Amino acid sequence: MKSRELDLVPFSTQIYGILCESLCKLGQPFEALEIFRSVTERGVYLESSKIYSVLICSFASIREVGVAEELFEEGESKKMLKDPNPFLRMISMYVEEGLTEKTLGVVKVMTGANIRVSDNICCAVVSGFSRKNRLLTAVKFFEDLVSMGCQPGQVTYASIINVYCRLGLNSKAEMVFEEMEEKGFGKCVVAYSSMVVMYGKTGRPRDAMRLVAKMKERGCKPNVWIYNSLMDMHGRDKNLRQVSKIWTEMKRRKVVPDKVSYTTVISAYNKAGEFEMCMKYYHEFRVHGGVLDKALAGMMVGIFSKTGRIDELVKLLRDMKSEGTALDGRLYRSALNALTDSGLEMQVKWLQGSFKVT
């Protein structure tokens, strides 16, 4: 095309645009930028708003902060930033880099350009800082966004409720949850999960049960996280009747128990001294292909040791060894004492040589 001197024909603008976009998709944004600069210098008109968007998104995605900023400022000055994608990419980049003021600065540019700050963009800020464990920063940004007139949606509400719960700001979490409900976002399972966990940690099982009942009334189905939280809080109170009722409901609703479910229900019966039920759930877990982790294996080492089930203890220890599950000092001593008391010298030597105590 260049050799035929077709640079200035109408369709060349489309071709160069496609070429730049394709290079960016191939992971070659610097080559795309070089073509864009050289073509515009020769006076070829390109649909610059789209090219700026593609280039900014590409450089922000690979966290080339300086180049992305230069293109962003250039595009803004030429009023070429017309869609939210480059703003979202810049925000994500700044969050990853921990540049808080610049993150908010991008949002201010959006509002100044009358580009709607969507729920996705609000959530990118809140959840981004939350993932980096900068919870207070996430809170500040949420409050700043609201004060700037941004309207959070369901995803942002769910994210900030989780942040407030993690910070122990329970009254704030409840207030934002009520606000979320008033705005018509009453079917967010993630938000319900955060609230149920919060009620469990603060010893408010009745509030948790009322919230789950409300959730069901609205046609929102509890997930495995919610059932696990309910069983955990009732298990800590040794309320085995409620634990059993929740487990049965979970199965009836075809919610598949995960490893945390089995660990939680076994822990509840273990605290109440119901060791037969512990073994029943443990064997069910293993029959369904469950893989041991330190928490569950550790509990079962204690249970088998206390109940004198040496054969099952030895099998469990061998399974732990083959699956690479660690054994802490307390449980190592428990298993060692059980094997020693049973006179199993070979198994004692095997245990001593097989596990690095953590």
Side-chain angles (χ1 to χ4, degrees), residues 228-278:
N228 290 347
S229 297
L230 292 174
M231 287 191 294
D232 178 63
M233 66 181 76
H234 289 301
R236 279 188 270 117
D237 290 340
K238 298 182 183 180
N239 188 345
L240 299 184
R241 182 173 171 274
Q242 278 292 357
V243 171
S244 176
K245 184 178 177 181
I246 292 162
W247 183 271
T248 302
E249 180 184 319
M250 182 168 64
K251 289 290 195 76
R252 178 171 54 81
R253 288 177 173 265
K254 295 182 169 50
V255 176
V256 180
D258 60 10
K259 187 183 296 184
V260 176
S261 307
Y262 281 100
T263 303
T264 302
V265 75
I266 290 169
S267 175
Y269 283 103
N270 184 31
K271 283 176 182 151
E274 298 281 349
F275 301 127
E276 291 296 327
M277 292 297 291
C278 294

Side-chain angles (χ1 to χ4, degrees), residues 12 25 34 192 221 225 344:
S12 70
K25 288 180 178 178
E34 185 180 348
Y192 279 114
K221 297 178 181 178
W225 301 338
L344 301 175

Side-chain angles (χ1 to χ4, degrees), residues 58-290:
S58 297
F59 283 108
S61 294
I62 61 174
R63 291 165 71 174
E64 284 285 346
V65 179
V67 182
E69 285 182 333
E70 180 185 341
L71 287 164
F72 185 80
E73 290 169 8
E74 189 178 307
E76 182 196 354
S77 67
K78 294 179 179 179
K79 302 192 182 304
M80 290 292 175
L81 303 182
K82 299 178 180 179
D83 73 85
N85 287 330
F87 294 96
L88 178 57
R89 292 290 187 178
M90 291 295 289
I91 285 169
S92 298
M93 178 186 73
Y94 283 142
V95 168
E96 289 301 313
E97 294 291 323
L99 301 171
T100 54
E101 292 305 317
K102 288 189 175 183
T103 306
L104 193 59
V106 175
V107 178
K108 288 177 179 176
V109 171
M110 288 187 76
T111 55
N114 292 320
I115 297 174
R116 190 177 75 86
V117 182
S118 67
D119 188 35
N120 282 343
I121 289 175
C122 293
C123 183
V125 178
V126 174
S127 62
F129 284 113
S130 173
R131 280 196 309 274
K132 289 186 162 293
N133 212 29
R134 298 182 61 182
L135 303 181
L136 292 174
T137 304
V139 168
K140 182 181 183 305
F141 263 81
F142 174 75
E143 292 172 354
D144 285 344
L145 289 169
V146 171
S147 68
M148 289 165 60
C150 300
Q151 295 293 323
Q154 179 170 291
V155 181
T156 305
Y157 275 123
S159 296
I160 196 62
I161 287 168
N162 178 262
V163 170
Y164 281 133
C165 289
R166 287 169 64 187
L167 285 169
L169 300 172
N170 303 328
S171 59
K172 292 282 285 185
E174 289 181 298
M175 182 180 71
V176 173
F177 184 79
E178 288 173 9
E179 182 183 311
M180 183 190 79
E181 289 183 304
E182 287 170 3
K183 291 191 176 180
F185 304 118
K187 292 188 176 182
C188 181
V189 178
V190 176
Y192 279 114
S193 296
S194 296
M195 294 300 293
V196 169
V197 170
M198 183 267 286
Y199 285 138
K201 287 180 178 178
T202 53
R204 298 165 63 183
R206 290 185 180 177
D207 289 331
M209 295 297 283
R210 275 196 289 267
L211 185 62
V212 174
K214 183 194 289 187
M215 179 183 182
K216 292 174 188 173
E217 286 173 7
R218 291 175 172 170
C220 190
K221 297 178 181 178
N223 60 15
V224 69
W225 301 338
I226 289 175
Y227 282 119
N228 290 347
S229 297
L230 292 174
M231 287 191 294
D232 178 63
M233 66 181 76
H234 289 301
R236 279 188 270 117
D237 290 340
K238 298 182 183 180
N239 188 345
L240 299 184
R241 182 173 171 274
Q242 278 292 357
V243 171
S244 176
K245 184 178 177 181
I246 292 162
W247 183 271
T248 302
E249 180 184 319
M250 182 168 64
K251 289 290 195 76
R252 178 171 54 81
R253 288 177 173 265
K254 295 182 169 50
V255 176
V256 180
D258 60 10
K259 187 183 296 184
V260 176
S261 307
Y262 281 100
T263 303
T264 302
V265 75
I266 290 169
S267 175
Y269 283 103
N270 184 31
K271 283 176 182 151
E274 298 281 349
F275 301 127
E276 291 296 327
M277 292 297 291
C278 294
M279 287 179 274
K280 169 185 174 293
Y281 285 110
Y282 171 71
H283 290 308
E284 180 182 317
F285 173 72
R286 295 295 275 172
V287 164
H288 287 94

